[in-house]
Amino acid sequence: MTYIEIMGGKKLNGEVNIQGSKNTVLPILAATLLINGITKLNHCPKILDVEHMIKILIEIGCSVTWEDSSIIVDTRGLNTEVVPTELVKKMRSSIILLGALLGRSHHAVVSYPGGCTIGARPINFHLDAFQKMNVALEEEDGLVKCVTSGIKGADIYFPSPSVGATENVILAGTLGFGKTRIFNAAREPEILELCKFLNSAGAKIYGAGTSRIEIEGVASLHQTEYSAPSDRIVAGTYLAAAAGTGGEVTLKGIGCGSLSTVIQTLRKMGSHIKCGQDSITIRSGGNVTAIPEIKTAPYPGFPTDMQSQIMSVLMKASGSSKIVEEIFEGRYQNVPEQARFGAQICLHDREAYITGVPVLKASEVSAGELRGGAALVIAGLMAEGKTIVKNPYHIQRGYEDICRDLRTLGAQIDYKEEN
Ligand code: EPZ
């Protein structure tokens, strides 16, 4: 069985290139179904979730190939709108195939993605919106069967911002009849990228990045090529690692824009961060200042996907910090593993109180989900001695090669095989 071995207590120094954005590439791969032709998507990360989405596209008849870090998708062979259940179960974000298949073929069958470690992950916003867009839904044996005589534009009001639901409505409305307006849309940069991609293929989508998005349905899209931005959460993860270990690290291929609340927080925690045109440089002495309160929120608030990583850094802060996780009710599942490094972490519903210790204790821990696993790696880098992180495949779902990237920055870290 593979595990990650870290000899912690070393500062991080140097430069590292940031991989393509997972949460940009996944919805754009789904969006390629709206183009009856070939799409070339550049700067894609070679991660398990992307391989998964590729497998689904191939299973339903598309041809998909890698060319270095580009993915070429040809959807002309699409021969079914039934997405294989076992593949949906393994990656719940495949639910965005619903909107793309409805937009392309006017019907789709996807299994209920179900919850995961970080939360119940309901899809009621998605299904309520589709019904308003002239889609008939049938839920049977864990399958969601959708059919429409034609997507009709509608006004969609989300009770709270949802990235996936916003993406699904955009995908369904792009080739629909008339105008779809989304109120309380998610504002994440990944939504903006999806809309820029679709508009580069001839779609008419306005307001992406704001809480009100308008989609004017068009008859068809044409072939296009697009380059994904770097992954802001991977970048944030490495910034947090440097803040915790100390040192000077430059991330290449990404600016501060999409990470402003994370950078603001790391500055308050004692790091110096300089923003370049297409790079971010962090300098830290390794001493961490406690933070009175960090509350996760939809973009542009503090990202829930950075909560666990920041918690690891706060485990070495002088004093007590408070985190409030407002997005996913299950995101503290990782806390017992993090607490093994010696800091005191008390949970009370959505609140976590972290009292740091001057030196973290190297430990043997297990990753349970993607960002929690990355947070354990950060804690291992900060701790004195040898840390073992089991179940690294959770981390490989979103990080191309976290060991390679951190070794580039001087960490002593590698994958090992348990004999
Ligand atoms: C996306 O998940 C991201 N995944 C998540 O990143 C990210 O944490 C999340 O957005 C929030 O930013 C991808 O982009 C592939 P939501 P998504 O719908 O779309 C509730 C990672 O680590 N909700 O914005 O599933 C939901 O329960 C992953 O890369 C409903 O109640 O998240 C949650 O509390 C983890 N009903 C909140 O909205 C719905 O129908 C936000 O969820 C949909 C959502």
Side-chain angles (χ1 to χ4, degrees):
M1 182 172 74
T2 309
Y3 62 91
I4 291 176
E5 181 181 285
I6 304 162
M7 290 309 288
K10 297 176 177 30
K11 289 187 181 297
L12 295 179
N13 287 292
E15 292 189 353
V16 66
N17 290 310
I18 300 298
Q19 69 185 55
S21 161
K22 164 175 96 78
N23 292 351
T24 298
V25 166
L26 290 176
I28 289 182
L29 285 174
T32 61
L33 290 168
L34 295 173
I35 298 166
N36 184 20
I38 296 172
T39 301
K40 186 177 184 193
L41 184 53
N42 307 315
H43 197 212
C44 297
K46 288 188 166 52
I47 54 176
L48 296 182
D49 275 10
V50 167
E51 295 296 356
H52 228 98
M53 185 60 94
I54 289 172
K55 211 181 277 178
I56 292 173
L57 291 175
I58 291 171
E59 281 281 311
I60 61 177
C62 302
S63 88
V64 188
T65 51
W66 281 96
E67 244 176 50
D68 297 330
S69 67
S70 299
I71 298 175
I72 321 281
V73 184
D74 183 346
T75 67
R76 287 172 293 185
L78 180 72
N79 57 27
T80 175
E81 284 68 33
V82 180
V83 183
T85 296
E86 68 284 357
L87 293 175
V88 174
K89 289 281 173 211
K90 284 193 186 151
M91 189 184 69
R92 59 170 318 285
S93 53
S94 30
I95 193 69
I96 44 173
L97 287 160
L98 263 185
L101 288 168
L102 279 170
R104 160 107 178 215
S105 314
H106 294 175
H107 76 274
V109 179
V110 179
S111 69
Y112 248 101
C116 67
T117 318
I118 64 174
R121 312 295 294 271
I123 57 168
N124 53 317
F125 296 175
H126 304 238
L127 303 184
D128 294 350
F130 287 149
Q131 286 182 304
K132 290 197 181 76
M133 299 171 85
N134 190 38
V135 175
L137 294 178
E138 204 190 312
E139 295 166 47
E140 182 192 322
D141 304 333
L143 293 178
V144 183
K145 299 178 178 176
C146 307
V147 65
T148 176
S149 57
I151 293 282
K152 286 207 175 67
D155 283 352
I156 306 295
Y157 296 84
F158 284 134
S160 58
S162 155
V163 173
T166 301
E167 289 167 346
N168 244 338
V169 169
I170 290 167
L171 292 168
T174 292
L175 299 177
F177 297 95
K179 183 185 283 189
T180 297
R181 296 189 300 177
I182 306 173
F183 299 85
N184 210 8
R187 299 170 53 192
E188 271 70 2
E190 291 77 23
I191 305 276
L192 184 59
E193 292 298 331
L194 173 64
C195 295
K196 280 163 62 179
F197 165 77
L198 288 167
N199 285 343
S200 78
K204 289 189 177 149
I205 305 169
Y206 313 99
T210 73
S211 54
R212 182 165 152 188
I213 296 176
E214 288 197 7
I215 304 113
E216 250 177 63
V218 294
S220 66
L221 298 181
H222 54 71
Q223 301 191 159
T224 188
E225 176 171 350
Y226 197 76
S227 295
S230 297
D231 193 305
R232 63 191 174 100
I233 303 299
V234 169
T237 302
Y238 296 161
L239 290 176
T245 60
E248 182 160 345
V249 162
T250 294
L251 309 182
K252 308 287 284 178
I254 189 164
C256 290
S258 60
L259 278 167
S260 52
T261 49
V262 173
I263 286 167
Q264 223 171 36
T265 303
L266 290 171
R267 282 174 171 151
K268 282 185 200 154
M269 289 164 64
S271 289
H272 299 276
I273 297 176
K274 212 167 72 211
C275 300
Q277 182 64 32
D278 204 24
S279 67
I280 304 173
T281 298
I282 182 170
R283 197 163 31 81
S284 158
N287 305 313
V288 180
T289 308
I291 295 267
E293 181 176 281
I294 298 172
K295 217 179 239 191
T296 65
Y299 195 88
F302 189 90
T304 174
D305 292 351
M306 278 298 303
Q307 184 259 101
S308 303
Q309 298 93 309
I310 288 293
M311 184 183 283
S312 282
V313 182
L314 290 170
M315 295 199 300
K316 206 178 90 173
S318 48
S320 291
S321 307
K322 176 182 173 187
I323 292 179
V324 186
E325 171 55 60
E326 296 281 27
I327 307 289
F328 288 120
E329 71 281 11
R331 212 141 213 175
Y332 289 145
Q333 300 274 339
N334 192 57
V335 167
E337 290 299 286
Q338 282 177 282
R340 293 159 73 98
F341 287 91
Q344 193 198 18
I345 308 175
C346 300
L347 299 178
H348 179 75
D349 193 23
R350 294 290 184 117
E351 294 167 357
Y353 298 87
I354 305 107
T355 305
V357 291
V359 179
L360 294 183
K361 223 167 46 315
S363 304
E364 187 168 311
V365 290
S366 294
E369 45 92 12
L370 169 55
R371 305 304 174 186
L376 296 176
V377 168
I378 291 174
L381 293 168
M382 294 163 63
E384 307 280 341
K386 184 198 293 190
T387 287
I388 303 282
V389 180
K390 294 181 175 172
N391 303 335
Y393 63 86
H394 287 293
I395 303 171
Q396 290 162 327
R397 281 193 43 218
Y399 294 81
E400 206 166 54
D401 189 338
I402 199 166
C403 294
R404 171 202 67 197
D405 289 349
L406 291 167
R407 259 199 318 278
T408 309
L409 300 174
Q412 198 173 334
I413 178 173
D414 210 347
Y415 293 104
K416 300 270 185 178
E417 282 306 321
E418 198 164 25
N419 40 33

Short mmCIF file of all heavy atoms in Angstrom, two decimals, residues 22-23 26 92-93 118 121-126 160-165 167 188 304-305 327-328 331 370-371, ligand 1:
data_model
loop_
_atom_site.label_atom_id
_atom_site.label_comp_id
_atom_site.label_asym_id
_atom_site.label_seq_id
_atom_site.Cartn_x
_atom_site.Cartn_y
_atom_site.Cartn_z
N LYS A 22 -8.21 22.19 -11.37
CA LYS A 22 -9.13 21.04 -11.40
C LYS A 22 -10.57 21.50 -11.56
O LYS A 22 -11.30 21.00 -12.42
CB LYS A 22 -9.00 20.27 -10.09
CG LYS A 22 -10.14 19.28 -9.78
CD LYS A 22 -9.90 18.46 -8.54
CE LYS A 22 -10.54 19.01 -7.32
NZ LYS A 22 -11.98 18.80 -7.17
N ASN A 23 -10.96 22.50 -10.78
CA ASN A 23 -12.38 22.89 -10.76
C ASN A 23 -12.77 23.79 -11.92
O ASN A 23 -13.93 24.16 -12.06
CB ASN A 23 -12.73 23.52 -9.41
CG ASN A 23 -12.68 22.48 -8.29
OD1 ASN A 23 -12.53 21.28 -8.57
ND2 ASN A 23 -12.76 22.92 -7.05
N LEU A 26 -12.77 20.39 -14.95
CA LEU A 26 -13.88 19.42 -14.87
C LEU A 26 -15.16 19.95 -15.52
O LEU A 26 -15.73 19.27 -16.40
CB LEU A 26 -14.13 19.02 -13.41
CG LEU A 26 -13.04 18.16 -12.77
CD1 LEU A 26 -13.35 17.91 -11.29
CD2 LEU A 26 -12.87 16.83 -13.51
N ARG A 92 -18.50 12.73 -7.51
CA ARG A 92 -19.81 13.33 -7.45
C ARG A 92 -19.94 14.56 -8.34
O ARG A 92 -21.01 14.92 -8.79
CB ARG A 92 -20.21 13.67 -6.03
CG ARG A 92 -19.27 14.61 -5.32
CD ARG A 92 -19.85 15.05 -4.05
NE ARG A 92 -21.24 15.34 -4.18
CZ ARG A 92 -21.75 16.44 -4.77
NH1 ARG A 92 -20.91 17.31 -5.28
NH2 ARG A 92 -23.03 16.63 -4.84
N SER A 93 -18.80 15.20 -8.67
CA SER A 93 -18.92 16.41 -9.49
C SER A 93 -19.33 16.07 -10.92
O SER A 93 -19.57 16.95 -11.73
CB SER A 93 -17.60 17.18 -9.50
OG SER A 93 -16.57 16.33 -9.88
N ILE A 118 -17.14 15.17 3.17
CA ILE A 118 -17.26 16.55 3.67
C ILE A 118 -18.71 17.00 3.81
O ILE A 118 -18.97 18.07 4.33
CB ILE A 118 -16.46 17.56 2.80
CG1 ILE A 118 -17.02 17.62 1.37
CG2 ILE A 118 -14.98 17.23 2.80
CD1 ILE A 118 -16.35 18.71 0.53
N ARG A 121 -23.97 16.88 0.41
CA ARG A 121 -23.84 17.30 -1.00
C ARG A 121 -25.15 17.12 -1.78
O ARG A 121 -25.22 16.42 -2.77
CB ARG A 121 -22.70 16.53 -1.68
CG ARG A 121 -21.40 16.47 -0.94
CD ARG A 121 -20.67 17.78 -0.73
NE ARG A 121 -20.17 18.42 -1.91
CZ ARG A 121 -18.96 18.19 -2.44
NH1 ARG A 121 -18.19 17.30 -1.91
NH2 ARG A 121 -18.56 18.84 -3.52
N PRO A 122 -26.24 17.70 -1.32
CA PRO A 122 -27.52 17.56 -2.02
C PRO A 122 -27.48 18.20 -3.41
O PRO A 122 -26.57 18.99 -3.71
CB PRO A 122 -28.50 18.32 -1.12
CG PRO A 122 -27.66 19.28 -0.37
CD PRO A 122 -26.33 18.62 -0.17
N ILE A 123 -28.44 17.84 -4.27
CA ILE A 123 -28.49 18.44 -5.62
C ILE A 123 -29.87 19.05 -5.89
O ILE A 123 -30.28 19.23 -7.05
CB ILE A 123 -28.15 17.40 -6.72
CG1 ILE A 123 -29.08 16.18 -6.65
CG2 ILE A 123 -26.69 16.97 -6.63
CD1 ILE A 123 -28.96 15.27 -7.88
N ASN A 124 -30.59 19.41 -4.83
CA ASN A 124 -31.93 19.98 -5.01
C ASN A 124 -31.94 21.26 -5.81
O ASN A 124 -32.81 21.49 -6.67
CB ASN A 124 -32.60 20.18 -3.64
CG ASN A 124 -31.74 21.01 -2.68
OD1 ASN A 124 -30.52 20.80 -2.60
ND2 ASN A 124 -32.33 21.96 -1.99
N PHE A 125 -30.91 22.11 -5.64
CA PHE A 125 -30.87 23.37 -6.41
C PHE A 125 -30.80 23.05 -7.92
O PHE A 125 -31.45 23.68 -8.74
CB PHE A 125 -29.64 24.21 -6.06
CG PHE A 125 -29.58 24.73 -4.65
CD1 PHE A 125 -28.46 25.41 -4.20
CD2 PHE A 125 -30.62 24.51 -3.75
CE1 PHE A 125 -28.38 25.90 -2.90
CE2 PHE A 125 -30.55 24.97 -2.44
CZ PHE A 125 -29.42 25.67 -2.02
N HIS A 126 -29.99 22.00 -8.25
CA HIS A 126 -29.81 21.64 -9.66
C HIS A 126 -31.17 21.20 -10.23
O HIS A 126 -31.60 21.67 -11.28
CB HIS A 126 -28.84 20.46 -9.81
CG HIS A 126 -27.48 20.65 -9.22
ND1 HIS A 126 -26.32 20.55 -9.95
CD2 HIS A 126 -27.06 20.90 -7.94
CE1 HIS A 126 -25.26 20.73 -9.18
NE2 HIS A 126 -25.69 20.96 -7.95
N SER A 160 -29.00 29.94 -2.02
CA SER A 160 -27.64 30.35 -1.64
C SER A 160 -26.73 29.98 -2.80
O SER A 160 -27.07 29.10 -3.61
CB SER A 160 -27.19 29.62 -0.35
OG SER A 160 -27.25 28.21 -0.55
N PRO A 161 -25.58 30.63 -2.95
CA PRO A 161 -24.73 30.35 -4.11
C PRO A 161 -24.27 28.89 -4.11
O PRO A 161 -23.86 28.36 -3.08
CB PRO A 161 -23.55 31.29 -3.92
CG PRO A 161 -24.02 32.35 -2.99
CD PRO A 161 -25.02 31.69 -2.11
N SER A 162 -24.36 28.25 -5.29
CA SER A 162 -23.87 26.87 -5.46
C SER A 162 -23.06 26.82 -6.74
O SER A 162 -23.57 27.13 -7.82
CB SER A 162 -25.04 25.89 -5.56
OG SER A 162 -24.63 24.72 -6.26
N VAL A 163 -21.79 26.43 -6.64
CA VAL A 163 -20.91 26.38 -7.82
C VAL A 163 -21.47 25.40 -8.84
O VAL A 163 -21.72 25.74 -10.00
CB VAL A 163 -19.48 25.99 -7.41
CG1 VAL A 163 -18.61 25.75 -8.63
CG2 VAL A 163 -18.87 27.06 -6.51
N GLY A 164 -21.73 24.18 -8.40
CA GLY A 164 -22.18 23.13 -9.34
C GLY A 164 -23.53 23.44 -9.94
O GLY A 164 -23.74 23.24 -11.14
N ALA A 165 -24.45 23.95 -9.13
CA ALA A 165 -25.79 24.24 -9.65
C ALA A 165 -25.72 25.39 -10.66
O ALA A 165 -26.39 25.36 -11.70
CB ALA A 165 -26.74 24.56 -8.51
N GLU A 167 -23.16 26.11 -12.54
CA GLU A 167 -22.55 25.52 -13.75
C GLU A 167 -23.57 24.70 -14.53
O GLU A 167 -23.67 24.81 -15.76
CB GLU A 167 -21.34 24.66 -13.36
CG GLU A 167 -20.16 25.47 -12.88
CD GLU A 167 -19.07 24.65 -12.21
OE1 GLU A 167 -19.30 23.47 -11.86
OE2 GLU A 167 -17.96 25.19 -12.03
N GLU A 188 -17.47 32.18 -8.13
CA GLU A 188 -16.12 31.61 -8.16
C GLU A 188 -15.43 31.87 -9.51
O GLU A 188 -16.11 31.87 -10.56
CB GLU A 188 -16.18 30.11 -7.88
CG GLU A 188 -16.10 29.72 -6.43
CD GLU A 188 -17.33 30.07 -5.59
OE1 GLU A 188 -18.32 30.61 -6.17
OE2 GLU A 188 -17.33 29.83 -4.39
N THR A 304 -13.78 27.50 1.44
CA THR A 304 -13.87 26.29 2.28
C THR A 304 -12.77 25.30 1.91
O THR A 304 -12.28 24.56 2.77
CB THR A 304 -15.25 25.62 2.14
OG1 THR A 304 -15.25 24.39 2.84
CG2 THR A 304 -15.61 25.35 0.68
N ASP A 305 -12.33 25.32 0.65
CA ASP A 305 -11.30 24.36 0.20
C ASP A 305 -9.93 24.68 0.76
O ASP A 305 -8.99 23.92 0.54
CB ASP A 305 -11.21 24.33 -1.33
CG ASP A 305 -12.45 23.73 -1.93
OD1 ASP A 305 -13.28 23.19 -1.18
OD2 ASP A 305 -12.62 23.83 -3.16
N ILE A 327 -19.76 26.26 4.96
CA ILE A 327 -20.21 25.65 3.69
C ILE A 327 -20.49 24.15 3.82
O ILE A 327 -21.59 23.69 3.50
CB ILE A 327 -19.15 25.87 2.57
CG1 ILE A 327 -18.79 27.36 2.46
CG2 ILE A 327 -19.65 25.30 1.24
CD1 ILE A 327 -19.85 28.26 1.87
N PHE A 328 -19.53 23.37 4.27
CA PHE A 328 -19.74 21.91 4.34
C PHE A 328 -19.73 21.42 5.78
O PHE A 328 -18.73 21.57 6.47
CB PHE A 328 -18.66 21.18 3.53
CG PHE A 328 -18.81 21.33 2.04
CD1 PHE A 328 -17.82 21.91 1.28
CD2 PHE A 328 -19.98 20.93 1.41
CE1 PHE A 328 -17.97 22.07 -0.09
CE2 PHE A 328 -20.14 21.09 0.03
CZ PHE A 328 -19.13 21.66 -0.71
N ARG A 331 -16.75 19.02 7.04
CA ARG A 331 -15.36 19.36 6.75
C ARG A 331 -14.44 19.18 7.96
O ARG A 331 -13.23 19.22 7.82
CB ARG A 331 -15.25 20.76 6.19
CG ARG A 331 -14.09 20.80 5.21
CD ARG A 331 -14.23 21.57 3.98
NE ARG A 331 -13.47 20.91 2.93
CZ ARG A 331 -13.47 21.31 1.67
NH1 ARG A 331 -14.19 22.37 1.34
NH2 ARG A 331 -12.78 20.68 0.75
N LEU A 370 -9.78 14.92 0.06
CA LEU A 370 -8.77 15.66 -0.71
C LEU A 370 -8.07 16.76 0.07
O LEU A 370 -6.84 16.71 0.28
CB LEU A 370 -9.46 16.23 -1.97
CG LEU A 370 -8.73 17.24 -2.82
CD1 LEU A 370 -7.38 16.71 -3.25
CD2 LEU A 370 -9.57 17.63 -4.02
N ARG A 371 -8.77 17.76 0.52
CA ARG A 371 -8.12 18.94 1.13
C ARG A 371 -7.66 18.61 2.55
O ARG A 371 -6.64 19.14 3.01
CB ARG A 371 -9.04 20.15 1.13
CG ARG A 371 -9.58 20.52 -0.24
CD ARG A 371 -8.50 20.77 -1.29
NE ARG A 371 -9.11 20.98 -2.60
CZ ARG A 371 -8.44 21.11 -3.73
NH1 ARG A 371 -7.15 21.01 -3.72
NH2 ARG A 371 -9.05 21.27 -4.88
C1 EPZ B 1 -17.68 22.95 -5.72
O1 EPZ B 1 -18.44 21.90 -5.17
C2 EPZ B 1 -16.23 22.48 -5.72
N1 EPZ B 1 -16.09 21.28 -6.55
C3 EPZ B 1 -15.80 22.17 -4.29
O2 EPZ B 1 -14.42 21.82 -4.33
C4 EPZ B 1 -15.96 23.43 -3.45
O3 EPZ B 1 -15.64 23.12 -2.09
C5 EPZ B 1 -17.41 23.93 -3.54
O4 EPZ B 1 -17.77 24.13 -4.91
C6 EPZ B 1 -17.62 25.23 -2.79
O5 EPZ B 1 -16.75 26.20 -3.30
C7 EPZ B 1 -15.94 21.42 -7.88
O6 EPZ B 1 -15.96 22.52 -8.42
C8 EPZ B 1 -15.73 20.16 -8.67
P1 EPZ B 1 -21.63 23.91 -3.95
P2 EPZ B 1 -20.07 21.95 -5.27
O7 EPZ B 1 -22.77 23.42 -4.77
O8 EPZ B 1 -20.46 22.59 -6.54
C9 EPZ B 1 -25.15 23.37 -0.77
C10 EPZ B 1 -12.54 20.48 -3.95
O9 EPZ B 1 -11.93 20.30 -2.90
N2 EPZ B 1 -25.99 22.87 -1.89
O10 EPZ B 1 -21.09 25.28 -4.23
O11 EPZ B 1 -20.58 20.59 -4.99
C11 EPZ B 1 -24.02 22.40 -0.42
O12 EPZ B 1 -24.48 21.40 0.47
C12 EPZ B 1 -14.05 20.47 -3.96
O13 EPZ B 1 -11.99 20.73 -5.04
C13 EPZ B 1 -27.32 22.55 -1.66
O14 EPZ B 1 -27.81 22.67 -0.54
O15 EPZ B 1 -20.42 22.89 -4.04
C14 EPZ B 1 -23.00 23.30 0.23
O16 EPZ B 1 -23.36 23.51 1.59
C15 EPZ B 1 -14.63 20.02 -2.64
N3 EPZ B 1 -28.08 22.08 -2.68
C16 EPZ B 1 -23.18 24.64 -0.52
O17 EPZ B 1 -24.45 24.56 -1.18
C17 EPZ B 1 -27.58 21.93 -3.95
O18 EPZ B 1 -28.32 21.52 -4.86
C18 EPZ B 1 -22.12 24.91 -1.57
O19 EPZ B 1 -22.02 23.78 -2.40
C19 EPZ B 1 -26.21 22.26 -4.18
C20 EPZ B 1 -25.45 22.73 -3.13
#
